[in-house]
Amino acid sequence: MRIIANFHKGEALRFISHLDVQRLVQRAMRRARLPLRYSQGFNPHPLLAFASALSVGHTSDAEWMDVRLEKETSPQVFLERMNAALPAGMRVLRVMEIEETLPALTALIRSTNYEVLLKLDAPPDEKKLKETAAAFMRASILVDKKTKSGVKQVDLQPFVLQLDIIEAAEDVCRLFIKGVLNAAGGLPVDLFIRSLMQYCALGGSYRVHRSAVAFDKIEV
Amino acid sequence: MQKAALDDILQAVERPARYTGGEWNMAVKRGAALHMALCFPDVYEIGMSHLGSRILYRAVNMREEYFCERVFAPWPDMEAALRENGLPLFSLETKRPLGAFDIIGFSLLYEMCYTNILTMLDLARIPFLAKDREGVAPLIVCGGPSACNPEPLADIMDAVMVGDGEEMLLEVLDTLAACHAAGKQKRDALLALSKIEGVYVPSFYEPQYQEGRFAGLERVEPQAPASINRRVVKDLDAAPYIGKPIVPNLSIVHDRAALELFRGCTRGCRFCQAGFIYRPVRERRLETLLDIANELVECTGYDELSLFSLSSSDYSAIHELVTRILNSMQSRRVSVSLPSLRADKFLKSDLERMQEVRKSGLTFAPEAGTQRLRDVINKGVREEDLLRVAQESFESGWTGIKLYFMIGLPTETDEDIVGIAGLAKKVSRLFYAMPKEKRIKALRLTVSASSFVPKPFTPFQWVGQDTAEELRRKQQLLGGALKGIRGVEFNYHASMVSMLEAVFSRGDRRLAQVLVEAYRRGCRFDSWDEHFRFAGWQAAFDACHLDIAEYAHRERDVKEALPWDHIDILVEKSYLLREYALAQKGVVTRDCRSGCNHCFGEKYADYCQLS
């Protein structure tokens, strides 16, 4: 059977990489005695996949794993056993059974929402900030992106679906960002935030939390 | 710890999960009477791979009244960030500042981590030298294999634990807790600790020097023992093992469940310190091992189990053990590995089965390139054994083999060096002599040559190490001889690091000052190529008016006082001398499993079940 499970990656684990998450989930599944299915062939590997990789340092309520099990297991049992075997900082929130024949989640993912908390060096002028941010969104957003072959200039504009300034008071500012995320890539949200901060002359630090993702063909 | 500041720091450093803790099976406790920081003077990925520290962590935390937390050396970027923000080094479990612990214990696995001890003390704002620390807390102690010659750290450590730690450490904590309760002064606490078998309190002894050379240690506290007997856990079945070990969140060097089959080794390779300082061999019973293996795999979720020992395939019931472990592990998709194989004890059928779960590389350590030199070092492996094993593993589908050698061994000639390449060539030819369809992938034959470092408590403890120039010449000679052999990849160690390792492994008490000087000149993580700065070390030796060559390259007279003579390691010095003489004649000594060689003498004869 095929199960997809939505999980939370929190404060205590926000610094571990995607590869670490894969290992951690696999070990937790073994501790939970969940009968993971393995691939056939010379080097069998567990049939465990993820919808997308979360950047190191971000937290999320919208991570998804995609697992094939050898035996029928109810979603509720899956959730309870996993949560008893996961360390602090990771928790399964929802579990659904899906069709075996559906494509991989990486092929179905379309967009993702981020909640961003800026801790600013100086209190911003909310009205002016909103105007500047709107202007920022109207033009191309050129950033230098590090790739394997060197630094490349890319325009982030087509990857940003929505930017809202939820709140700007005292020394904090809350943003909502909806970005493209699919098999080909997605919005590099850190680059986007840094570019926005620079454009709006905001100094300070920020934290990113992924709050939701949307898939094609699966309602979550 | 100020959480906000720490958060910002972690955001900026490399691999921040090294510092966050919170792993599965981490110990959590409230209201402990005594807090211990178990320190490993290297990064998390190295320290968490050390089985001994895992055993101690478990042993202490089994006791309700004691809480053992972990502290690792911060990588230089983290060290800089902590300094910049005025933050102290802290534990992974509760983020408690290192300086706030009652006892701080360092695991010493190799000499080239010593500067990191200073980094850790410095970041805890603890004075380096024991004499500058007045209170009982924090008490600074150490243990582990490198502690068998404690002298280079003697001025820094309040007490040193020599030998097996799992029982001794608990006695140290019990004694310390009693001293705290009685409000004892530091000197009285140290005196109480010195009564524990295996504990050495350096300040109760004073080194003597004649003409700039170590001439003996004088006891200045009459109540302290005349010599320190190495501590031995006699029954490993009864001793605490790692229980529910921590499962790291980030990938570490040995990221698998480790099952220690036995302690000690019966081979008697003359260069090998572990072969002498862990005697006698003590095996866990088969049933104990099977139970531990099950528990380990269940509570960690690891899919790999490593049968760990100095020479795992020497376990008395190795064949039955491997068969039974494989039977229980295979259905759970847990692969089993034997990391210390002997070419003369190769179990082809077992290895083939081990490979059914996952293919891994094979490693062998012939150590020397000719039979003559292998006889000198008492490495009983014969060329035909090695070639047979290579042939069998190639036929079973292995394509990767690692061969470990040492260069700079006593009596070595260029012929021995070239012999290494000769052996590699024969292995390579065996592979390419197989029909093409049987070769799944290209051969990966790794030839690794480390530089010989003479170590205390070995028959070679008197030997002068080759100079760095001579080691480099031999490395080049070998590199040249290996050219053109198909599938070979050649690795070797930096000769300057090996030279300093030789200095510190056989050093005396004056080296603590060198260490401090080197630390002040920025030396850190000296076993990491990217951080090793020889110039800093040279300047430190110069500043202390000490000579590297005197420590590393000088051959010791067998009558000379050695800085570690006050440690009774159980193996008699006269036995080491006898072995040294046999080595020079190229005469081998039998494995103690085929008959006792009387290395312990009368005093400890009953310690060894084999004698």
Side-chain angles (χ1 to χ4, degrees), chain A residues 13-14 33 51 54 68 91 102 117 133-134 153 166 173 179 200 207 209 219:
Chain A
L13 287 177
R14 72 186 177 101
R33 295 166 177 270
L54 188 73
R68 317 267 174 154
R91 232 187 122 65
L102 275 173
L117 176 70
Q153 205 175 51
I166 307 291
C173 173
C200 301
R207 291 284 301 271
H209 178 74
E219 199 65 49

Side-chain angles (χ1 to χ4, degrees), chain A residues 172-193:
Chain A
V172 294
C173 173
R174 288 176 200 283
L175 309 178
F176 172 85
I177 299 167
K178 181 172 183 172
V180 169
L181 183 61
N182 57 40
L187 172 70
V189 69
D190 287 286
L191 286 181
F192 176 74
I193 297 166

